[in-house]
Amino acid sequence: MRLSRAFLPTLKETPAEAQIASHRLMLRAGMIRQTSAGIYAWLPLGLRVLRNIERIVREEQDRAGAQEILMPTIQPAELWRESGRYDDYGKEMLRIRDRHDREMLFGPTNEEMVTDLFKSFAKSYRDLPRSLYHIQWKFRDEVRPRFGVMRGREFLMKDAYSFDLTPEGARHSYHQMFVAYLRTFARMGLKAIPMRADTGPIGGDLSHEFIILAETGESQVFLHRDLLDYDPLSEAPDYNSDLSPQVEFWTRRYAATEDLHDEAAWNAVPEAERVSARGIEVGHIFYFGTKYSKAMGLQVSGPDGAMVTPEMGSYGVGVSRLVAAAIEANHDENGIKWPDAIAPFKLAILNLKVGDAACDALCEQILAAFPDDAVYDDRGERAGVKFADADLLGYPWQVVVGPRGAAAGKVELKRRATGEREELSLEDALQKLRG
Amino acid sequence: MRLSRAFLPTLKETPAEAQIASHRLMLRAGMIRQTSAGIYAWLPLGLRVLRNIERIVREEQDRAGAQEILMPTIQPAELWRESGRYDDYGKEMLRIRDRHDREMLFGPTNEEMVTDLFKSFAKSYRDLPRSLYHIQWKFRDEVRPRFGVMRGREFLMKDAYSFDLTPEGARHSYHQMFVAYLRTFARMGLKAIPMRADTGPIGGDLSHEFIILAETGESQVFLHRDLLDYDPLSEAPDYNSDLSPQVEFWTRRYAATEDLHDEAAWNAVPEAERVSARGIEVGHIFYFGTKYSKAMGLQVSGPDGAMVTPEMGSYGVGVSRLVAAAIEANHDENGIKWPDAIAPFKLAILNLKVGDAACDALCEQILAAFPDDAVYDDRGERAGVKFADADLLGYPWQVVVGPRGAAAGKVELKRRATGEREELSLEDALQKLRG
């Protein structure tokens, strides 16, 4: 992608309304633009990150055996009357009347709709277990939306729903998602810790939040050091096996948000193992039994012919929120430091002297080697502007091509995360970037 | 994907409300389910087709130089007051008031928002030309939604917008999309003919509809036979070159919908070259000059310092509608016949005797060879049910594995589109499927 022809607008000044680092950086980097309070358009750079995150979420949901569907954004109010949540939900629900004066709403979540959907197809125990998920825009009419896409009104969420014949089956489905979430966030280069959570308005008796650690996080969290050191990608899970041992590794060690913090239990953790940090919630999973299946009349015939009300759980990942959370966890005073797996482009090619034949030729060669993964800064701007923009936008690698080096066939490679630089021949640089 | 564990529910009976073939077949094949009038949930099979179509649209937009963004579904009413369309749009616009009683709406299209967005970044002629597109859910509150996703209320559309300094530039952008659209539909295995169209409420003086030919199409169309015979994929376009010759091939030959049909011009076409057919609109492109840029105050500084109001065009593809249109153009009395490029799965493996060791082993080998592209019918159903379902769901290939053939290491390969069958060794069958 050539910057001279791209729609990747950066801002020199930070808009006054942005209070947190990710919001400031996303606006300055031209990733998003607010179109109404708490509602954003995603510009090309931001959209690429959003799609990378979405792809990882999807791959890990598929791997865990969940099946993708897509429910609409607009839901009928009747569904929410059946569950009793239509009145409970309050003003956060965006209520709508269509041209025939029918009561509709912009879905904030989908327990009701997926239960109704599943009901129309599942007839027998042979149709269970199933986990269904979708990745769709949701709306929550926050009274004071702020912090950019961290707490927007229209936001992209992955929500999955499990249907099981028995509580034991439902617990296994819960464990599958628990493990899938650990892998999902780890693949994004993020350290996420599951913490026991309140179930809130979803209901149920088992729930975990997944919290990304970030110095600028929204809330205080407390955890055992073991949980920081473990790498969820160190082994590939067999989702058909009993996943209790993996889950127990996480749940038997102390980990709590401020809300559920228990001083006595905390003090029982050896002092050297205690980690107190800031965190951002990016996922939330719930097991709530028959709360929705019962209210909405979902039943299947069991192996013995008797009707059974399936056990359900729901599992959310804040896809658009993760873009901001990843920045909170990966930035410095100069800008964003994207983890490789979610970076909008893998590298930026900085041509310090556009028009110099050697510089231009070298840059074109690099661009040709990474046609989809490189941004080529071919603008007629000063070197300082190009350096600052590349640091701000946070591409994992910068390839700096200046006239002196280019004459000798050399480029400078900079790793954004560490600041390390080295001068390399074009060949060695390409090999390193491929590796 | 093993059918025994999949969420791919088929219906034995056709729901009474479905009046057209694609609607009936999509419901029976378990591709969609209505959740409110004119609003649908996409089940796994339908979603796979939708994503295939979306991917082809995206690839061809990118190839033509358009850049992807993503605008939100909910828009502020003020934007539409600026263009004057807020009152014009009538009851098809889904109007919403948020908790602070601000007037919002669910976007039916995005001319206003993209113009406003572009305005905040484009300052100079160097920021032009640019084409931006997004693929997002839209809402049009049809008074009597029907025909399934062919005329739904919530629907997925790709809409692109071009910004140019001059009318000549804008015409080139229009030609780029014209050619990109021809390629887009051809890649889906669909015959699409551009036809001069009225500009309607979008405004402007140049517009074409792209019409898919299908016996069960919604409207009568008239065209020169040359247009049927030409393959848009026969040459790769250079989008930076003058595309007028390609566009003129299409525009200088007769092609018109009923609305713009001109008997005199039609009669001037040699009788043997006249084709009268049924068609379905799947794309619509517009050049409307400065209608929105002027109304919304979009200006950039020109090369001579004077301010210039950019020339704009907009370009829509009905992504969700295309799923239905593709079925209208590709089905028979037994079900769907998916074109290869958009099929939900490339092949279905029909195990006629689940539990037979040879059958099971052969089926597993085929599934392992196509882990993402095969549906394995491992259900304990009769052969007749499996044949009927595979025909209904329209996978391009069926691999039939029965006990007699399996014992000899043979399978039967059936091509859904033509009905051709042949008995082959496993190896030959795999090679043919790969080829």
Side-chain angles (χ1 to χ4, degrees):
Chain A
M1 163 92 61
R2 289 164 207 277
L3 271 192
S4 62
R5 302 181 201 166
F7 186 61
L8 298 180
T10 54
L11 299 182
K12 295 211 171 48
E13 280 139 48
T14 301
E17 79 267 24
Q19 298 170 39
I20 62 171
S22 58
H23 191 193
R24 279 196 300 273
L25 288 168
M26 288 181 78
L27 290 172
R28 282 191 52 207
M31 291 177 63
I32 52 167
R33 181 166 179 270
Q34 179 168 293
T35 56
S36 306
I39 305 180
Y40 295 86
W42 294 77
L43 307 185
L45 201 81
L47 181 59
R48 287 179 73 104
V49 178
L50 188 71
R51 291 297 184 223
N52 286 339
I53 289 174
E54 194 180 324
R55 178 179 41 77
I56 292 172
V57 169
R58 175 175 292 120
E59 286 172 1
E60 294 300 328
Q61 290 292 297
D62 291 344
R63 191 190 301 252
Q67 296 176 59
E68 190 172 7
I69 61 172
L70 185 59
M71 290 175 274
T73 64
I74 301 297
Q75 305 187 13
E78 304 102 72
L79 276 182
W80 291 70
R81 292 226 168 79
E82 285 186 44
S83 73
R85 287 206 292 180
Y86 189 66
D87 296 323
D88 295 355
Y89 221 92
K91 291 197 161 180
E92 277 201 9
M93 179 183 277
L94 188 67
R95 292 158 207 262
I96 301 169
R97 282 177 186 270
D98 73 5
R99 67 187 297 166
H100 299 298
D101 215 32
R102 283 179 293 222
E103 290 176 286
M104 319 284 288
L105 57 98
F106 198 125
T109 176
N110 286 66
E111 280 81 7
E112 284 80 356
M113 183 174 276
V114 79
T115 304
D116 187 60
L117 195 62
F118 196 70
K119 186 171 99 175
S120 62
F121 295 110
K123 303 297 170 205
S124 123
Y125 68 96
R126 281 185 296 265
D127 297 323
L128 301 175
R130 289 291 185 281
S131 289
L132 306 177
Y133 75 98
H134 79 156
I135 303 177
Q136 178 61 293
W137 293 89
K138 312 287 193 296
F139 203 98
R140 288 188 192 159
D141 202 359
E142 304 266 357
V143 61
R144 242 176 307 110
R146 54 193 167 152
F147 306 145
V149 298
M150 187 74 87
R151 207 189 178 92
R153 294 199 288 168
E154 187 169 332
F155 60 98
L156 188 60
M157 184 163 90
K158 185 284 299 180
D159 36 329
Y161 303 89
S162 63
F163 300 87
D164 279 275
L165 208 61
T166 63
E168 297 69 41
R171 196 163 289 263
H172 178 63
S173 296
Y174 187 91
H175 288 175
Q176 287 177 320
M177 284 291 164
F178 191 104
V179 172
Y181 275 35
L182 289 168
R183 285 183 55 84
T184 299
F185 302 123
R187 279 189 60 195
M188 295 174 193
L190 302 172
K191 184 63 85 179
I193 311 289
M195 304 194 176
R196 195 167 174 96
D198 271 333
T199 56
I202 301 269
D205 64 359
L206 178 58
S207 176
H208 286 88
E209 289 177 352
F210 286 74
I211 308 277
I212 295 285
L213 301 187
E215 274 175 41
T216 49
E218 62 199 354
S219 63
Q220 195 70 29
V221 298
F222 306 88
L223 60 141
H224 192 290
R225 186 172 300 282
D226 284 359
L227 302 179
L228 270 188
D229 296 339
Y230 184 78
D231 175 9
L233 300 177
S234 61
E235 47 185 332
D238 171 1
Y239 283 106
N240 294 318
S241 73
D242 177 15
L243 299 167
S244 310
Q246 285 98 307
V247 172
E248 275 166 22
F249 170 84
W250 295 90
T251 52
R252 72 166 181 249
R253 286 171 175 81
Y254 193 86
T257 59
E258 225 158 0
D259 292 349
L260 294 185
H261 189 45
D262 172 347
E263 279 294 336
W266 181 236
N267 290 331
V269 177
E271 195 160 355
E273 307 298 324
R274 289 184 214 159
V275 178
S276 165
R278 306 289 297 176
I280 301 165
E281 186 205 328
V282 291
H284 204 158
I285 63 179
F286 302 88
Y287 164 49
F288 45 68
T290 59
K291 176 177 156 111
Y292 296 94
S293 44
K294 201 168 168 185
M296 306 191 65
L298 165 60
Q299 286 195 317
V300 300
S301 60
D304 58 1
M307 296 308 282
V308 181
T309 300
E311 299 277 324
M312 291 176 57
S314 74
Y315 314 89
V317 169
V319 175
S320 48
R321 164 172 262 235
L322 268 163
V323 180
I327 294 174
E328 292 294 337
N330 297 278
H331 70 278
D332 61 19
E333 66 284 4
N334 296 323
I336 305 167
K337 302 191 287 187
W338 288 115
D340 295 71
I342 61 174
F345 292 92
K346 180 173 187 164
L347 63 145
I349 305 162
L350 311 188
N351 188 340
L352 301 191
K353 198 166 181 187
V354 175
D356 177 275
C359 285
D360 293 355
L362 224 49
C363 289
E364 292 292 343
Q365 271 184 277
I366 303 165
L367 181 61
F370 296 93
D372 299 322
D373 290 335
V375 160
Y376 174 20
D377 195 342
D378 60 342
R379 298 173 301 169
E381 296 279 359
R382 287 180 300 107
V385 171
K386 297 190 178 191
F387 287 132
D389 271 1
D391 276 356
L392 170 64
L393 273 55
Y395 312 112
W397 297 96
Q398 297 172 18
V399 191
V400 183
V401 181
R404 206 170 344 161
K410 299 213 161 186
V411 302
E412 191 183 64
L413 207 58
K414 177 181 164 184
R415 183 75 172 150
R416 174 68 176 95
T418 60
E420 283 171 78
R421 301 157 179 275
E422 57 182 329
E423 196 174 57
L424 293 171
S425 69
L426 172 67
E427 233 165 66
D428 289 347
L430 291 181
Q431 196 170 355
K432 186 150 191 175
L433 289 168
R434 283 197 193 100
Chain B
M1 164 89 62
R2 287 165 208 276
L3 270 192
S4 61
R5 302 183 201 163
F7 185 62
L8 299 180
T10 53
L11 299 183
K12 294 211 171 48
E13 279 140 48
T14 300
E17 79 266 26
Q19 299 172 38
I20 62 172
S22 59
H23 191 193
R24 279 195 300 271
L25 289 168
M26 288 181 76
L27 289 172
R28 284 192 50 208
M31 293 178 61
I32 52 168
R33 182 169 176 269
Q34 179 168 292
T35 57
S36 307
I39 305 180
Y40 294 86
W42 293 76
L43 306 185
L45 200 82
L47 182 58
R48 286 180 73 105
V49 178
L50 189 71
R51 292 296 184 225
N52 286 341
I53 290 174
E54 194 180 326
R55 178 178 42 74
I56 293 172
V57 169
R58 175 176 291 119
E59 286 172 1
E60 294 301 327
Q61 290 292 297
D62 291 345
R63 191 190 301 251
Q67 296 177 57
E68 190 173 7
I69 62 173
L70 185 58
M71 292 176 272
T73 64
I74 301 296
Q75 305 187 14
E78 305 102 72
L79 276 182
W80 290 70
R81 293 225 167 79
E82 285 186 46
S83 73
R85 285 207 291 180
Y86 189 65
D87 296 322
D88 294 355
Y89 222 91
K91 290 195 161 182
E92 277 201 9
M93 179 182 278
L94 188 68
R95 292 156 207 263
I96 301 170
R97 282 176 186 271
D98 73 5
R99 69 189 293 165
H100 299 299
D101 214 31
R102 282 178 294 220
E103 290 175 285
M104 319 284 287
L105 56 99
F106 198 125
T109 176
N110 285 67
E111 280 80 8
E112 285 79 358
M113 183 173 276
V114 79
T115 304
D116 187 60
L117 194 63
F118 196 71
K119 187 171 101 176
S120 62
F121 294 111
K123 302 299 170 204
S124 121
Y125 68 94
R126 281 184 296 266
D127 297 322
L128 299 175
R130 290 291 184 281
S131 289
L132 306 177
Y133 75 97
H134 79 155
I135 302 176
Q136 178 61 291
W137 293 90
K138 312 286 193 298
F139 203 98
R140 288 188 193 159
D141 201 358
E142 303 266 357
V143 62
R144 241 177 307 114
R146 53 192 169 155
F147 306 145
V149 299
M150 188 75 86
R151 206 187 180 95
R153 292 200 289 168
E154 187 170 332
F155 60 97
L156 188 60
M157 184 163 89
K158 185 283 301 179
D159 36 327
Y161 303 90
S162 63
F163 300 88
D164 279 275
L165 208 59
T166 62
E168 297 70 42
R171 194 162 290 263
H172 179 61
S173 296
Y174 187 91
H175 287 176
Q176 287 177 321
M177 284 291 163
F178 190 103
V179 172
Y181 275 34
L182 288 168
R183 285 183 55 84
T184 299
F185 302 122
R187 279 190 59 196
M188 294 173 193
L190 302 173
K191 184 63 82 179
I193 311 289
M195 303 195 177
R196 195 167 176 98
D198 270 334
T199 56
I202 302 268
D205 64 358
L206 179 59
S207 176
H208 286 88
E209 288 177 354
F210 286 74
I211 307 278
I212 295 284
L213 301 187
E215 273 176 40
T216 49
E218 64 200 352
S219 63
Q220 195 70 30
V221 298
F222 306 88
L223 60 139
H224 192 290
R225 185 172 302 280
D226 284 0
L227 303 178
L228 270 188
D229 296 339
Y230 186 77
D231 175 9
L233 300 178
S234 60
E235 48 184 332
D238 171 1
Y239 283 106
N240 294 317
S241 73
D242 178 15
L243 298 167
S244 310
Q246 285 98 308
V247 172
E248 275 166 22
F249 170 83
W250 295 91
T251 52
R252 74 167 179 245
R253 285 171 176 80
Y254 193 87
T257 59
E258 225 157 1
D259 292 350
L260 294 186
H261 188 46
D262 173 346
E263 279 294 336
W266 181 237
N267 290 331
V269 177
E271 196 160 352
E273 307 299 323
R274 290 184 213 157
V275 178
S276 167
R278 305 290 297 177
I280 301 165
E281 186 203 328
V282 290
H284 204 159
I285 63 178
F286 302 89
Y287 163 49
F288 44 69
T290 59
K291 177 176 155 110
Y292 297 93
S293 44
K294 201 167 169 185
M296 307 192 65
L298 165 61
Q299 286 196 317
V300 299
S301 60
D304 58 1
M307 296 308 281
V308 181
T309 300
E311 300 276 324
M312 291 177 58
S314 74
Y315 314 90
V317 169
V319 176
S320 47
R321 162 172 263 236
L322 267 164
V323 179
I327 294 174
E328 292 293 338
N330 297 279
H331 71 277
D332 61 19
E333 64 285 4
N334 297 323
I336 305 167
K337 302 190 287 187
W338 288 116
D340 296 71
I342 61 174
F345 291 91
K346 181 174 185 162
L347 62 145
I349 306 163
L350 311 189
N351 188 339
L352 299 192
K353 196 163 183 190
V354 175
D356 176 275
C359 285
D360 292 355
L362 223 51
C363 290
E364 292 291 344
Q365 270 185 277
I366 303 166
L367 182 61
F370 296 94
D372 299 322
D373 290 336
V375 160
Y376 174 20
D377 194 341
D378 60 343
R379 297 173 300 170
E381 297 279 1
R382 288 180 298 107
V385 171
K386 297 191 178 190
F387 288 132
D389 270 1
D391 275 356
L392 170 63
L393 274 54
Y395 311 113
W397 296 96
Q398 297 173 18
V399 190
V400 183
V401 181
R404 204 172 342 160
K410 299 215 160 185
V411 302
E412 190 184 64
L413 207 59
K414 176 181 166 185
R415 183 77 172 147
R416 174 68 177 96
T418 61
E420 283 170 78
R421 302 156 178 275
E422 55 182 328
E423 196 175 55
L424 293 171
S425 69
L426 172 67
E427 231 166 65
D428 290 347
L430 291 180
Q431 196 171 354
K432 185 149 192 177
L433 288 168
R434 283 198 193 98

